[in-house]
Amino acid sequence: MTEQDAVIEHESGTEAAMRKFGSFVGGAAVDPEPDAEVITLENPATRRPYGVVHAASPQLVDRAVRSARTAQAEWWAMGPAERTRRMTAWADLVDRSADILADLDVESVGRVRREAVGDVVKSTDQIRFWAQEGPRLVRRSERSAVPEHLFLTCPGPVGVAALLLPGNVPSRMLLVHSAVALGCGNAVVVKPADASPSSALKLAELALAAGLPAGLINVVVGGAATGAALAAHEQVGGLSFTGSTATGRRVAAIVAERFGKVALELGGKSPQIVFSDADIDAVCEAIVWSFCANAGQICTAGTRALVHREVYDDVVARLAALAGRVRVGDPGDDATQVGPLSSGRQFDKVVGLVARAKREARLVFGGQPVADLPGYYFQPTIFADVPAAAEIFQEEVFGPVLCVTPFDDEEQAIALANDSRYALASNVWTADLRRALRVADRIEAGTVWCGTSRIGDPHMPLTAGRKSGNSHARGLVDVFTQDKLVAVSLRDTDTGPHWGLAAERTN
């Protein structure tokens, strides 16, 4: 199937069992192509290699897209009730496989296992939602105000939806984005992050076992070249990309060359505005969770705490005390709250940003790798008195690092919150409802959470601006569907606008 046991020689000269990961196209695993790029996979909790990826070539990507087009025609012909039934069966099967999927994500990117299981279960609710909501959306029609005419808008699928996924929450991102695409009648070609192919391949197998047509979910594995080939494919109707702003810019340019539709969920540097009347104990708990969960590798993580000067010193002290209680360790241990960073590359980025930040701000907690753990572990880290011009204030770290900056009044808080090239998410903490709404109205971000953090609903749009991209979640509907206008005259003898040329010839 998608994983085969093999024994290869490590660079060190020692031998170890390694697994091979190839693509999954048309309902079957694909043998490695000659001269395929080979990517070594490493468990970030141990730094030990455990497998290799045989990257898909542009030719294999083309084969996957064509397979998806064929399967999509079968999927659309089933009708909405049958599509709903089969998607629901997939959700049920994924639910029963949550432990297996979580273990794969623990191994590949260091997800805390308990949270990974919870992510899978939450995501199957999204599948069930879009199994019902997607058919409703594509049955929508609108009447025109033009007399004696009927104008209908007929939404439909774009055909093939491509998903370029990140490695921070592999199973959840595939499930949520696929749910929208499949619910709206599309087929899917998934390109998981190069470091996390295993759960994507398992989910494609489960879809086949649940009765989804072979080829409805294809997985092409590999690195940047594989993703670029998928983004450039002329028969991809809509594409979603989740990842860094720099890569998102390149993806958008590739898709624009062919006038394609694209959803971009990119970076963030979300502010958390704390007013003096907030429940400081509860707020500090929420902030520590927000910047530490998944080792800070969440695009909406609240990594800039903007705190009213009246409570600033108290908040900084409480945040440092709470950060010291965060349990960092083995992601397979249910007691662990923060696991490793997902890769050596990300670890090096965090180490570098933190080292430079020590010259620009006051370190009050952490700031170092975890010395007694073998993987890519980094301490929860808090910087105080961070100026808005500092790199650590402006750049997304994608690690468990928090900046704390004081403000004197509401105007300054809003100005600091908006002093960013990102505009993804934000938080407002205050007991004053009017102030919460007033500030929320002026923050430039796609989402503002007031008195809570990182909750959503599949009914609601989650959008972004500036260098954070454009849309994701329900916003994917616009990328994965296209409208058709059908205009019909209700007059028996009406042929539409004309010059009456036939009548002139008879005179």
Side-chain angles (χ1 to χ4, degrees):
M1 295 297 290
T2 59
E3 301 178 18
Q4 299 174 346
D5 288 334
V7 177
I8 66 171
E9 193 79 14
H10 286 181
E11 292 180 0
S12 63
T14 61
E15 291 187 349
M18 300 283 280
R19 303 201 302 280
K20 292 182 179 180
F21 297 88
S23 298
F24 189 85
V25 176
V30 178
D31 291 332
E33 299 171 279
D35 302 322
E37 178 190 8
V38 177
I39 301 169
T40 300
L41 301 177
E42 182 183 36
N43 185 325
T46 63
R47 305 196 189 197
R48 293 174 183 165
Y50 67 89
V52 292
V53 169
H54 293 273
S57 67
Q59 293 74 26
L60 184 54
V61 169
D62 177 69
R63 178 178 154 193
V65 173
R66 293 180 184 280
S67 173
R69 281 177 61 85
T70 300
Q72 191 273 332
E74 179 184 351
W75 182 240
W76 188 242
M78 285 181 184
E82 183 61 17
R83 293 198 302 274
T84 297
R85 187 189 70 78
R86 296 197 190 196
M87 284 185 66
T88 302
W90 183 41
D92 293 342
L93 195 51
V94 171
D95 262 340
R96 295 196 294 272
S97 304
D99 287 332
I100 296 171
L101 292 163
D103 286 338
L104 294 174
D105 287 347
V106 170
E107 177 184 52
S108 62
V109 296
R111 288 299 320 274
V112 171
R113 189 180 187 281
R114 170 174 39 81
E115 294 178 356
V117 171
D119 270 356
V120 171
V121 174
K122 286 188 296 184
S123 300
T124 56
D125 288 340
Q126 294 265 4
I127 298 173
R128 296 183 183 96
F129 172 84
W130 286 105
Q132 301 285 341
E133 180 71 1
R136 281 194 286 265
L137 287 174
V138 296
R139 287 200 300 265
R140 185 189 74 230
S141 66
E142 299 172 1
R143 296 180 66 93
S144 168
V146 179
E148 297 186 87
H149 286 74
L150 188 64
F151 282 34
L152 303 175
T153 57
C154 303
V158 295
V160 178
L163 312 181
L164 302 183
L165 300 180
N168 57 334
V169 282
S171 292
R172 178 164 175 77
M173 293 302 294
L174 187 151
L175 290 168
V176 171
H177 287 217
S178 294
V180 182
L182 297 175
C184 291
N186 298 284
V188 169
V189 180
V190 179
K191 207 295 282 185
D194 53 2
S196 55
S198 54
S199 58
L201 293 165
K202 183 64 178 179
L203 285 166
E205 293 175 357
L206 293 173
L208 191 66
L212 274 64
L216 195 69
I217 298 181
N218 298 286
V219 178
V220 289
V221 300
T226 302
L230 185 56
H233 202 290
E234 292 286 348
Q235 294 182 14
V236 169
L239 179 144
S240 74
F241 168 80
T242 307
S244 72
T245 297
T247 304
R249 184 180 288 111
R250 293 194 292 271
V251 169
I254 292 171
V255 176
E257 283 287 328
R258 58 180 182 83
F259 302 103
K261 302 174 74 173
V262 61
L264 301 170
E265 182 185 345
L266 308 177
K269 194 71 180 178
S270 301
Q272 304 215 45
I273 302 178
V274 182
F275 288 96
S276 58
D277 62 343
D279 181 340
I280 299 303
D281 287 333
V283 168
C284 289
E285 286 275 5
I287 290 174
V288 170
W289 171 83
S290 183
F291 87 87
C292 286
N294 200 34
Q297 298 168 117
I298 298 290
C299 58
T300 54
T303 54
R304 291 187 295 150
L306 311 176
V307 183
H308 194 278
R309 202 173 295 277
E310 286 183 8
V311 293
Y312 181 77
D313 291 338
D314 187 19
V315 167
V316 170
R318 294 189 191 203
L319 288 171
L322 291 174
R325 300 175 194 167
V326 173
R327 294 186 293 274
V328 181
D330 178 3
D333 186 341
D334 284 345
T336 294
Q337 294 166 324
V338 174
L341 292 161
S342 61
S343 67
R345 181 174 54 199
Q346 186 59 31
F347 177 81
D348 291 342
K349 176 188 174 184
V350 172
V351 169
L353 280 166
V354 169
R356 294 190 294 276
K358 292 175 182 178
R359 301 193 293 266
E360 297 183 294
R362 176 167 59 96
L363 179 67
V364 295
F365 189 84
Q368 298 291 335
V370 180
D372 57 347
L373 292 174
Y376 297 116
Y377 294 92
F378 202 88
Q379 297 172 335
T381 297
I382 300 173
F383 286 98
D385 310 336
V386 183
E391 179 187 31
I392 201 72
F393 187 95
Q394 295 290 339
E395 293 299 320
E396 182 180 45
V397 179
F398 225 55
V401 180
L402 177 71
C403 301
V404 191
T405 301
F407 67 84
D408 294 304
D409 55 36
E410 190 174 303
E411 287 296 319
Q412 187 184 18
I414 293 168
L416 285 168
N418 291 336
D419 188 359
S420 174
R421 65 193 182 111
Y422 300 108
L424 182 58
S426 56
N427 297 75
V428 179
W429 301 99
T430 177
D432 185 335
L433 179 60
R434 289 179 185 237
R435 176 161 56 193
L437 294 175
R438 185 169 62 242
V439 173
D441 186 53
R442 296 181 59 193
I443 293 177
E444 296 167 6
T447 300
V448 183
W449 288 293
C450 298
T452 187
S453 186
R454 289 223 301 264
I455 61 168
D457 185 297
H459 285 278
M460 297 294 106
L462 291 174
T463 59
R466 298 183 184 172
K467 299 301 188 292
S468 291
N470 49 25
S471 65
H472 57 109
R474 191 181 179 95
L476 292 171
V477 171
D478 293 335
V479 174
F480 292 158
T481 62
Q482 55 192 358
D483 281 346
K484 179 186 295 182
L485 176 66
V486 178
V488 182
S489 171
L490 303 181
R491 301 169 184 161
D492 288 339
T493 58
D494 189 5
T495 58
H498 58 83
W499 283 322
L501 300 179
E504 288 180 8
R505 286 198 299 271
T506 59
N507 289 334

